[in-house]
Amino acid sequence: MGRDAMSFVSVEDLFQSYGKRPILERVAFTAEEGEFVSIVGASGCGKSTFLRLLLDQERPTRGRIMVDGMPLTGEPNRSRGIVFQRYSVFPHMTVRDNIVAAEGLSRPLGRLFGAVKRAARERAQTTLDHIGLGHVADQYPASLSGGMQQRLAIAQALAAKPRILLLDEPFGALDPGTRERMHVFLQELRAETKMTVFMVTHDLPEAFKLGDRVLVFDKVRWDPTDPEAYGATITYDFDARDGGIPYQTPISMQEEDTHGFHGSQAQPVASPG
Amino acid sequence: MRLINRHPGRALYAALVALPFVLVAIAYSAGSAARLAENPQDRILPAPSHLAATAFRLMTEPDRRSGDLLFWTDTGASLSRLGIGVGIAALIGLVLGLAIGLVPLVRAGLQSFVSVVSMIPPLALLPILFITLGVGEASKIALIAIGITPFLIRDLSARTLELPQEQLVKAQTLGASTLSIALSVALPQILPRLIQSVRLSLGPAWLFLIAAEAVASDSGLGYRIFLVRRFLAMDVILTYVAWITLLAVVIDFLLATLSRRLFPWAETR
C-alpha cells in the first residue's frame, strides 16, 4: 500500500464472512480515478462479493472502503453504476424508457412528466442512436439479443452519470463474436467518459485486454480437509498496460507460488452467483 | 413414436376439445330420455328442449308478481356483489402484497399474521358478518373480500419477492427511492400477476357469493337457485348453473385478454 492515502478508491483491511464462512480476508487496495480494474479468480473466490462491497449492496464484517475520501453510506446510490450478467434492464419498459428511467427513477414518483419527459426521451433517443439501438427504441428488452441487452444495460448505467462503473461478468453469457464487439463498444465509451471501471470476469484475455490493472483473487491459505476454512484475498496485481508485468510484489505467493494463478486459469467454470 | 411426442393436428385438436363436452351432453340426454320414458312427469332430468324453453322464458318473460325480469336482476345483483368484493380484495392484496414483498420491516410485521389469517375458513365467519353487518349487501361483499384477500396478499407478496434482486439494486444505482421503486419497478411488473391471481381466485369468489346469497338474500343467482330448490325446479336450477358457468368463463377470458393488451412485455418472457 505504498500509495497515496488520498486515492480515489481505497480499500483497507477488508474482511467479509457469511455466517462462519470467510469469503474475503485482509483485502487492501487502492485505485486512481479513471483506472480500469479487471478482477479475475476461480469460482467462489469472492470476486463478486468484492464487487457487491464496492457497490455497497452489503457491508463488510471488518475494514472499510473509501471513495473519493468518503466512506460508503450503507446502500447503493447514483455514484456507482452496475451492470450484471442478467436482469440489468427493466423488462416492463421499452428500450427508450429504460434509458429515460436513469433520469426518472430519481424523481419522487419514479417518473418524469410533461416537457421534462419529452426532453429526456429525446436525449434517450440520441443515446440509443449513438450505441446502435435507435431502431429498436420502442421494443421491449426481451425481443433484443443478449449483446443488445447488455449494450442497453451499460448505456442505462452510464446515463445516470456515475463516477464508478461496476461490471459483474457483463459479457459472460454472450457468444465470442458478440463479446468482441462489446469490447470495442466498452473501450469507445470509456475513451469518451474517462470513467473508473471495475470489471469481474472469468475470461483472462478479456481481463488483460480491457483492464489497466488485473487483480487476481485467490486463497493464500488452503486446508485440503476443509476448503472453506479460509477466505480469499488479492494475490496478484498486474499492470495490464505493459503486457501484464507485475508492478507490485505478490502479497504472499512465496511459498505456494503456483497455486493461485493456475487455479484461476481453470476458468470456464460458471460462477455460482 | 412415444406418446409424449405425438401432437394432434388442427382437426384432431378441435375434435378432442369438443369430445368431453359432447360426451357429457350425450350422457345427459340419454339419462333424461330414459327417465322421461319411464315417467313423463319426471322433474329430475328435464329434456334439453325443455331446458331451452325454460331459459328462454326466464330471460324474456317478466315475473308475474313484481313485473321484473328476475333473471337479469339476479344477474345484476350477483355481478355487482362479485365485482365490488373482488375489487376491494384486489386493491388490498396489491398494496399489502407490494409492501410485504418490498419492505423487510413490513414483511416481518405482517407475513406470519397473514399466513395465520388465511387459515381461517371464511364461511365460518359468515354468521359473524351477518350479526355485525346485517344481512344486506355489506356482509356478502365482505365475505367475498375476506375470503380471497389473504390468498391475493400471499400470492402477490411472493411474486414481488421473486423480482430479481439485480433489478432492485440497479434501480437504486439510478437513484430510485423506495416509493419510486414500488411505483415504477415493482408495481408495473406485479400488475399482470394481479390479474392472474384474480383469475385464480374467481372460483372461490363465486363460492362465497353463492353461499352468502343462499343463506340470506332477496335477489341474486345463488338466492334463486336455493329458492326454486324447494319446488324441485331442476330446469331453472340447471339454467342458472349453466349461466353462472358461462359468466365465469367470459370474465376469465376478458381478464386474460386485458392482461395481454395491457402488458405485452409480460407475454414475451
Side-chain angles (χ1 to χ4, degrees):
Chain A
M1 264 106 302
R3 293 218 182 181
D4 185 1
M6 291 304 290
S7 296
F8 183 54
V9 175
S10 75
V11 174
E12 298 164 18
D13 194 33
L14 196 70
F15 282 69
Q16 178 70 321
S17 334
Y18 296 146
K20 281 187 177 165
R21 186 179 152 212
I23 303 294
L24 294 173
E25 358 177 283
R26 288 178 296 135
V27 177
F29 134 100
T30 59
E32 300 309 317
E33 184 149 28
E35 272 191 310
F36 191 126
V37 182
S38 299
I39 301 170
V40 298
S43 293
C45 266
K47 307 184 297 289
S48 294
T49 302
F50 183 63
L51 209 66
R52 281 198 294 276
L53 289 167
L54 284 178
L55 182 63
D56 215 357
Q57 189 185 341
E58 39 188 79
R59 253 60 60 203
T61 41
R62 225 173 96 186
R64 65 173 181 170
I65 299 173
M66 308 273 281
V67 175
D68 206 15
M70 303 284 286
L72 296 184
T73 54
E75 58 183 359
N77 63 32
R78 273 173 85 89
S79 72
R80 295 176 307 282
I82 177 83
V83 173
F84 296 104
Q85 187 172 350
R86 296 170 61 202
Y87 304 123
S88 270
V89 293
F90 301 115
H92 61 289
M93 297 180 187
T94 62
V95 168
R96 187 189 293 109
D97 288 344
N98 262 288
I99 303 286
V100 174
E103 297 183 42
L105 279 175
S106 59
R107 302 304 169 92
L109 292 178
R111 56 194 315 157
L112 304 169
F113 300 96
V116 186
K117 185 177 186 177
R118 277 194 297 279
R121 285 171 67 90
E122 272 166 36
R123 275 196 297 283
Q125 187 64 44
T126 314
T127 308
L128 291 173
D129 289 336
H130 183 64
I131 61 168
L133 291 178
H135 61 294
V136 289
D138 290 313
Q139 295 184 21
Y140 289 99
S143 65
L144 304 187
S145 69
M148 288 162 106
Q149 286 192 22
Q150 286 308 77
R151 241 186 296 164
L152 176 62
I154 293 171
Q156 183 189 46
L158 293 180
K161 301 196 170 50
R163 301 194 64 189
I164 302 176
L165 181 62
L166 304 169
L167 306 170
D168 193 355
E169 297 184 38
F171 314 132
L174 305 180
D175 62 86
T178 312
R179 207 179 254 240
E180 283 296 316
R181 285 196 294 281
M182 292 300 293
H183 291 166
V184 175
F185 170 70
L186 187 59
Q187 281 169 326
E188 284 172 2
L189 277 182
R190 175 143 185 271
E192 285 169 29
T193 58
K194 306 282 182 216
M195 184 167 315
T196 311
V197 184
F198 290 85
M199 178 182 73
V200 165
T201 178
H202 271 288
D203 184 348
L204 276 181
E206 178 178 275
F208 278 92
K209 176 180 170 187
L210 296 176
D212 300 325
R213 289 164 73 182
V214 176
L215 301 182
V216 181
F217 274 75
D218 201 0
K219 298 183 178 183
V220 288
R221 294 183 292 170
W222 179 262
D223 182 347
T225 61
D226 186 6
E228 296 191 344
Y230 301 110
T233 190
I234 299 175
T235 54
Y236 281 93
D237 184 350
F238 292 107
D239 184 345
R241 283 167 303 193
D242 191 21
I245 297 163
Y247 64 84
Q248 283 187 343
T249 319
I251 289 163
S252 65
M253 279 288 99
Q254 279 80 10
E255 61 270 49
E256 265 187 288
D257 193 29
T258 52
H259 172 70
F261 197 54
H262 290 274
S264 56
Q265 255 177 334
Q267 28 133 341
V269 192
S271 142
Chain B
M1 203 182 202
R2 287 181 189 83
L3 209 49
I4 56 165
N5 291 327
R6 295 184 60 169
H7 297 279
R10 192 174 297 178
L12 181 58
Y13 184 82
L16 287 174
V17 168
L19 184 67
F21 294 99
V22 172
L23 284 181
V24 169
I26 290 174
Y28 180 85
S29 306
S32 168
R35 283 192 74 104
L36 287 170
E38 219 169 87
N39 171 15
Q41 300 303 312
D42 182 71
R43 307 193 59 164
I44 307 301
L45 293 180
S49 57
H50 181 60
L51 281 179
T54 304
F56 184 76
R57 176 171 60 79
L58 288 172
M59 288 181 198
T60 55
E61 284 178 23
D63 178 51
R64 259 168 293 172
R65 203 153 48 80
S66 63
D68 291 335
L69 283 166
L70 289 180
F71 185 81
W72 299 111
T73 52
D74 284 342
T75 303
S78 285
L79 284 184
S80 69
R81 288 166 192 153
L82 190 76
I84 297 171
V86 171
I88 292 172
L91 197 66
I92 299 174
L94 185 63
V95 171
L96 287 185
L98 272 178
I100 291 173
L102 279 179
V103 186
L105 293 173
V106 178
R107 183 152 67 241
L110 282 184
Q111 200 170 32
S112 306
F113 180 72
V114 171
S115 322
V116 171
V117 167
S118 71
M119 295 301 160
I120 302 173
L123 281 177
L125 297 178
L126 189 54
I128 301 175
L129 294 176
F130 281 147
I131 292 168
T132 52
L133 300 175
V135 291
E137 297 300 297
S139 55
K140 299 177 187 68
I141 291 168
L143 179 68
I144 297 171
I146 290 172
I148 62 175
T149 300
F151 164 76
L152 289 176
I153 294 176
R154 295 179 80 184
D155 197 45
L156 291 173
S157 62
R159 297 293 161 267
T160 308
L161 276 169
E162 276 172 15
L163 289 177
Q165 191 64 30
E166 285 91 337
Q167 277 185 27
L168 303 185
V169 171
K170 177 87 182 204
Q172 293 178 60
T173 66
L174 300 178
S177 64
T178 300
L179 182 66
S180 59
I181 289 176
L183 292 180
S184 294
V185 178
L187 177 66
Q189 297 195 65
I190 291 309
L191 282 177
R193 306 292 204 151
L194 172 71
I195 294 188
Q196 264 184 19
S197 315
V198 165
R199 285 174 66 194
L200 285 177
S201 60
L202 272 177
W206 276 103
L207 167 73
F208 298 131
L209 172 72
I210 289 172
E213 288 178 344
V215 175
S217 189
D218 53 10
S219 66
L221 298 166
Y223 161 74
R224 197 66 56 195
I225 291 180
F226 277 81
L227 184 74
V228 301
R229 177 187 64 101
R230 298 175 198 163
F231 318 122
L232 270 177
M234 278 293 274
D235 52 346
V236 177
I237 295 177
L238 285 172
T239 305
Y240 268 70
V241 169
W243 177 238
I244 291 170
T245 310
L246 182 69
L247 285 176
V249 169
V250 168
I251 293 171
D252 187 64
F253 174 78
L254 289 179
L255 285 174
T257 311
L258 184 73
S259 177
R260 267 199 305 279
R261 286 275 170 80
L262 290 180
F263 314 112
W265 53 269
E267 301 297 318
T268 45
R269 272 197 299 188

